[in-house]
Amino acid sequence: MANFIHKPQSAALAFMVAGAVWFVVGAVYGMFSAIHLVAPEFLPHVAALVFGRERPVHVNTMLYGFTGTMLVGIGLYYLPALLKTRLWSEPLAWVAFLFWNLTVLSGPLGFAFGYTQGREYNEYVWLADVSLVIAVACLIVNTVMTIVNRREPQLYVSIWYFMAAFLWTASNYPLGNVMWHPATGAMPGLIDSLFLWSWGHNLPGLLITPLATGAAYFVIPRVTRTPLNSHTLSLLGFWLLIALYSHIGAHHVLQSPIPNWLKTVSVVDSVSMVLPVSIVVINLWLTARGYGGRVWNDPPARLVMGGIVWYIITCIQGPLQSLPFLQRVTHFNNWTIGHAHIAMLGFGGYIALGAMWHVLPLVSGRPVYSNKLINLQFGLITFGLTGFFIVLTMAGLVQGSAWHNGETVLRVLPQLSPFMVMRAALGVFILTGSLVGLANLYLTLRPARDEEPLLRGEEAA
Amino acid sequence: MKMTPAFLIVGALLVFWASTFIIVGLPSLTMKDTPSDIWRPLSPLEREGHRLYVKNGCSYCHSLFIRVSDWDIGAERIARAGDYAGIEPAILGSERTGPDLSQEGGEHSDDWNIAHFTNPRYTTPISLMPAWDFLTKHEITALAAYVQALGGKDADVRQKRQREWKRQAQAAYAGGVDRNIEWLHAQVPEVWRRMPNPYPATEAALQRGKRIYQQLCINCHSPIGDGNGPAQPFLGPPPLNFTILRRHLVENRYIGGIFYYQIMNGITGTAMPYFKKHLESEKIWDLANYVAVSFLGYTDANTEPRGIDASYEGNWQNQYQPPAVDQSP
């Protein structure tokens, strides 16, 4: 055991495996809640399985458990690799692993039994908050000390994003979760909605986005075997992300009685988010230009590039739906749910999966068991998610425009059932995709397998 | 520009805190938590209900603010900052699978709410809300108390009205079946009591009425209209048994206008909600025809006094005639 936690890159591998497991758990909960939106009497009288308790488990397990955990694991590999050194302390990374996963575990164990703060994306109870902040603090110390002990003078853009993700989370998470009020984790009155959505939107923006962007910046140039298109563009993208993104949480309560100047700031900056996003996308696109075949023929890189495509889709949608006139129709309904799914699974999840498959042979020293299974996973998730996007957007437009026409929620509800049935059916594909990924991961790491020499370099050539 | 470790760390934190100060810091310093005109403190039971609302994730389907653009529920009162004074956490919500609840207090009677939380489909057959019957009786009461308090002083006015009419409705019900129906009819304005159903009870119209009955009415009034739906044990006075109305012909017919008025306006104090927000006029008339034909056996559709048929209506002969009047003294 002691040897194991000192083994180089063992923590990185542990984070990635945990991410794959949480993906399955989160997808199972997603499946249950999708079924409950079709058949509310499915498994009745089970307190732990009602929609209001399933949803936070699904959301938090997917955010922190799947996307977050997997991306941290990938970062723990590329951070020392890009700095030409070892991770400063492998045991410290294991401590972070322990506390991080305790927080995620508190979701299925706690929310299901009513131990929740109930604020969207801030549901973890105080003890779980503390656990997460400890994990992030460990990761900060580890990252800083690895940077200090580096043998590569230049800091590559992935490192900035990895470092900053934890700095921002450590500053922002306690604030958004109002950790100085442990009893409710909330501020009294309307101001609470600003704290809530500050973290609610910064969670994808300042934790998942930098981690995923960092991973994409690592994988794409490696696969195309060309240098990054532009250092200056990546600088611009990095600083614009933090200057703009932290402002936009208030667009979730745009039509509530918060101050007008605040609405203006959040709308203007939401629209400006087009800039840092297009910078990342253009930079990676230009890096891969002329080498599209290499990206397409490499299943992990194909997933990462797929994530970039979802990124641009979600970030065209985001600014549009934050415009007050359009938000009257797109807010409060399944449109937003579709947006959240393509942001978190499409952007964060695709890049996490792709980068994991890319990094896995480098971490474990074994080739991925089957590229065909990666392709199968890509196909399953893409079919499911594209369907989600279409179905939920359509359902949202039906709801939003009906309400705008003066219809009541009660009247629109029966019209949603075909969409909800399709959504549950499509959820099967995503759940299967998560299981295929876990199986592939298990078969890759299975100990009793005949060792084959690592052929990756030759294959790619 | 060269990214040194110090520049990266200090810069990233500085920009973050500057941005965050604008979006969270400034509002914290300037927003006032002043109660609005309808605000009132929650009672201990209502506070308990609020905790249950939070911990069971009600906010994932129910929003707590009415927007300017919400025509259906927003005509009377748009959310104001002071409505949320002191509520911790005041979760506004981001999704409306179920309706907005911020002005819900007093919309329904207490017993309707209890039945609704025990199993939402008892009172609203098309609901997607989970049944909360694993909560204790006390917890369901607390949840109902919280929902009845939403809307503050406005909700108190509505609740007072509910309780006042509940007292009268219960007294009428205690007076016996016939006395109860006389009382119910007496609450309908004279002009409606004399108005026959203006729409023909064609097959299509009866089918439309049946669908609406199954979507909205069936779990109180039951599939055979005898008022013994699954919600019945929770409600006092219980849902009306339509078949009894056969004894209450007015001038040898049962008046469609009475059905129409009661469906449209509900019966405040009882569990009968109003449907004027949800159903257009013709749908209410169709439902009235369906109830009359299915459970009474006849309808006064197309009888005098009547106006000109609508242009789309064909020639329709009323085959649902009332039984012959017994003339013997």
Side-chain angles (χ1 to χ4, degrees):
Chain A
M1 185 68 193
N3 282 338
F4 184 62
I5 63 167
H6 284 97
K7 192 179 159 204
Q9 296 161 7
S10 59
L13 187 60
F15 265 102
M16 289 192 279
V17 172
V21 173
W22 288 127
F23 186 17
V24 175
V25 175
V28 167
Y29 270 93
M31 197 66 232
F32 269 109
S33 24
I35 293 173
H36 274 145
L37 287 175
V38 176
E41 298 280 359
F42 175 66
L43 298 178
H45 319 301
V46 183
L49 287 178
V50 295
F51 184 80
R53 296 183 182 184
E54 280 165 356
R55 199 198 102 133
V57 180
H58 167 64
V59 167
N60 287 283
T61 307
M62 283 302 202
L63 299 181
Y64 294 91
F66 161 46
T67 316
T69 310
M70 207 175 255
L71 287 169
V72 171
I74 293 151
L76 285 177
Y77 167 76
Y78 69 61
L79 175 80
L82 289 170
L83 295 171
K84 298 201 175 109
T85 180
R86 282 188 168 190
L87 195 63
W88 179 65
S89 162
E90 205 67 40
L92 190 62
W94 274 97
V95 173
F97 174 83
L98 179 74
F99 280 105
W100 183 284
N101 283 284
L102 272 180
T103 305
V104 179
L105 186 67
S106 83
L109 290 187
F111 301 155
F113 301 98
Y115 297 99
T116 169
Q117 290 176 346
R119 299 160 80 236
E120 259 175 281
Y121 306 103
N122 303 255
E123 282 102 345
Y124 287 130
V125 292
W126 192 70
L127 270 176
D129 291 344
V130 173
S131 170
L132 189 90
V133 172
I134 292 175
V136 170
C138 294
L139 288 166
I140 290 178
V141 173
N142 221 344
T143 310
V144 170
M145 292 312 292
T146 309
I147 292 176
V148 168
N149 292 318
R150 71 190 190 279
R151 280 183 288 163
E152 160 67 50
Q154 193 170 13
L155 298 183
Y156 180 66
V157 50
S158 294
I159 314 244
W160 319 340
Y161 277 113
F162 190 68
M163 178 79 254
F166 300 124
L167 291 175
W168 294 335
T169 303
S171 318
N172 196 7
Y173 186 89
L175 194 70
N177 278 274
V178 194
M179 273 176 72
W180 61 98
H181 284 181
T184 53
M187 303 278 284
L190 190 64
I191 185 81
D192 187 54
S193 61
L194 298 176
F195 282 83
L196 186 162
W197 284 115
S198 162
W199 175 243
H201 210 98
N202 285 348
L203 160 63
L206 300 185
L207 174 63
I208 304 297
T209 300
L211 288 174
T213 314
Y217 269 131
F218 175 72
V219 174
I220 296 295
R222 263 193 108 247
V223 172
T224 56
R225 299 194 294 282
T226 48
L228 185 65
N229 172 62
S230 163
H231 175 72
T232 315
L233 271 184
S234 50
L235 269 175
L236 258 178
F238 179 82
W239 291 112
L240 278 177
L241 177 75
I242 179 57
L244 298 176
Y245 209 119
S246 41
H247 278 168
I248 69 182
H251 70 206
H252 282 267
V253 280
L254 200 57
Q255 299 161 80
S256 79
I258 58 167
N260 277 332
W261 65 266
L262 202 58
K263 297 182 186 179
T264 314
V265 170
S266 74
V267 171
V268 169
D269 282 8
S270 300
V271 174
S272 319
M273 274 305 293
V274 167
L275 286 174
V277 173
S278 6
I279 286 172
V280 170
V281 174
I282 289 168
N283 209 0
L284 286 169
W285 204 264
L286 292 181
T287 307
R289 191 166 65 162
Y291 304 102
R294 291 182 189 172
V295 173
W296 181 253
N297 292 323
D298 184 280
R302 192 189 304 170
L303 267 165
V304 173
M305 210 29 126
I308 297 296
V309 173
W310 283 120
Y311 191 34
I312 194 72
I313 295 175
T314 186
C315 291
I316 290 170
Q317 213 185 21
L320 281 179
Q321 70 196 23
S322 70
L323 295 172
F325 182 69
L326 297 182
Q327 215 201 47
R328 290 182 200 170
V329 166
T330 61
H331 194 218
F332 271 147
N333 52 49
N334 283 289
W335 171 294
T336 324
I337 315 260
H339 175 65
H341 277 88
I342 63 173
M344 200 41 65
L345 177 58
F347 166 56
Y350 269 56
I351 292 181
L353 289 169
M356 181 196 64
W357 294 123
H358 179 83
V359 161
L360 191 63
L362 307 170
V363 171
S364 67
R366 298 168 191 196
V368 173
Y369 174 75
S370 163
N371 271 339
K372 280 195 178 136
L373 284 181
I374 303 183
N375 284 337
L376 179 63
Q377 186 184 34
F378 178 81
L380 286 169
I381 297 181
T382 304
F383 184 77
L385 189 64
T386 311
F388 262 42
F389 177 44
I390 296 169
V391 165
L392 292 173
T393 303
M394 279 162 61
L397 288 174
V398 168
Q399 287 174 287
S401 41
W403 300 343
H404 203 53
N405 260 344
E407 287 285 6
T408 59
V409 171
L410 185 75
R411 272 280 294 270
V412 181
L413 201 55
Q415 299 180 19
L416 293 183
S417 43
F419 297 103
M420 295 295 118
V421 171
M422 279 193 269
R423 173 208 211 162
L426 291 161
V428 176
F429 288 86
I430 295 175
L431 176 61
T432 315
S434 72
L435 287 167
V436 167
L438 189 63
N440 201 6
L441 190 64
Y442 170 75
L443 292 168
T444 303
L445 300 175
R446 186 171 51 159
R449 190 162 134 250
D450 292 338
E451 290 293 324
E452 290 161 41
L454 182 57
L455 288 172
R456 187 182 187 80
E458 288 89 320
E459 272 170 10
Chain B
M1 187 162 79
K2 188 165 158 50
M3 288 284 270
T4 63
F7 186 62
L8 166 66
I9 294 169
V10 176
L13 284 177
L14 269 183
V15 180
F16 171 80
W17 282 112
S19 289
T20 303
F21 178 73
I22 295 176
I23 202 76
V24 180
L26 274 181
S28 296
L29 296 172
T30 54
M31 275 172 75
K32 292 191 186 75
D33 205 20
T34 319
S36 66
D37 52 333
I38 61 160
W39 185 88
R40 67 159 173 85
L42 293 180
S43 75
L45 184 68
E46 290 159 2
R47 264 207 301 280
E48 205 184 320
H50 177 238
R51 290 309 309 160
L52 287 163
Y53 181 92
V54 170
K55 85 176 217 181
N56 287 303
C58 305
S59 65
Y60 301 123
C61 292
H62 295 283
S63 60
L64 281 180
F65 69 106
I66 293 178
R67 311 172 295 176
V68 179
S69 58
D70 286 331
W71 291 22
D72 65 326
I73 39 182
E76 299 303 323
R77 196 176 194 288
I78 310 301
R80 289 180 210 156
D83 297 355
Y84 305 94
I87 299 187
E88 193 180 321
I91 318 171
L92 300 184
S94 62
E95 162 74 3
R96 281 181 190 163
T97 303
D100 181 273
L101 295 183
S102 60
Q103 294 291 319
E104 190 65 15
E107 283 278 307
H108 298 281
S109 61
D110 290 330
D111 50 354
W112 184 95
N113 274 302
I114 303 279
H116 188 60
F117 291 133
T118 307
N119 187 331
R121 277 155 297 285
Y122 288 173
T123 52
T124 317
I126 56 172
S127 171
L128 289 179
M129 181 155 80
W132 298 99
D133 50 3
F134 54 83
L135 296 178
T136 65
K137 262 206 173 102
H138 173 75
E139 284 173 322
I140 287 186
T141 314
L143 208 48
Y146 171 64
V147 170
Q148 290 286 43
L150 287 168
K153 289 173 185 165
D154 282 359
D156 290 345
V157 171
R158 295 192 288 262
Q159 274 213 80
K160 199 171 153 235
R161 188 184 300 142
Q162 289 279 6
R163 296 204 172 116
E164 166 65 21
W165 284 101
K166 159 138 328 228
R167 199 180 48 72
Q168 297 196 34
Q170 278 174 334
Y173 185 76
V177 172
D178 299 301
R179 165 81 192 91
N180 184 35
I181 289 171
E182 276 162 31
W183 179 81
L184 283 170
H185 288 183
Q187 307 313 316
V188 178
E190 174 70 19
V191 58
W192 294 99
R193 267 187 280 163
R194 309 204 58 80
M195 186 184 294
N197 194 323
Y199 288 97
T202 59
E203 275 308 303
L206 291 177
Q207 284 300 319
R208 288 199 295 272
K210 181 179 183 179
R211 198 185 70 147
I212 296 164
Y213 186 81
Q214 287 173 340
Q215 284 189 343
L216 301 174
C217 322
I218 196 163
N219 281 352
C220 282
H221 293 288
S222 104
I224 55 167
D226 66 355
N228 279 325
Q232 186 266 340
F234 295 89
L235 308 178
L240 185 64
N241 177 353
F242 294 127
T243 58
I244 287 171
L245 294 173
R246 288 172 191 158
R247 303 212 296 256
H248 286 269
L249 302 184
V250 182
E251 294 161 13
N252 200 31
R253 59 190 202 186
Y254 189 76
I255 302 293
I258 295 181
F259 276 138
Y260 185 91
Y261 187 84
Q262 303 278 44
I263 296 167
M264 171 180 75
N265 214 38
I267 303 162
T268 305
T270 75
M272 176 67 189
Y274 58 82
F275 290 98
K276 54 187 165 193
K277 279 183 182 172
H278 307 297
L279 298 176
E280 294 93 337
S281 179
E282 185 175 359
K283 288 184 179 165
I284 301 184
W285 285 120
D286 285 344
L287 180 58
N289 263 330
Y290 172 75
V291 171
V293 168
S294 309
F295 308 131
L296 277 67
Y298 46 88
T299 174
D300 62 355
N302 234 18
T303 58
E304 296 299 330
R306 56 191 293 272
I308 307 171
D309 290 337
S311 57
Y312 77 89
E313 285 165 13
N315 277 329
W316 180 77
Q317 289 298 319
N318 192 342
Q319 55 194 326
Y320 306 103
Q321 296 297 326
V325 186
D326 185 6
Q327 298 289 357
S328 58

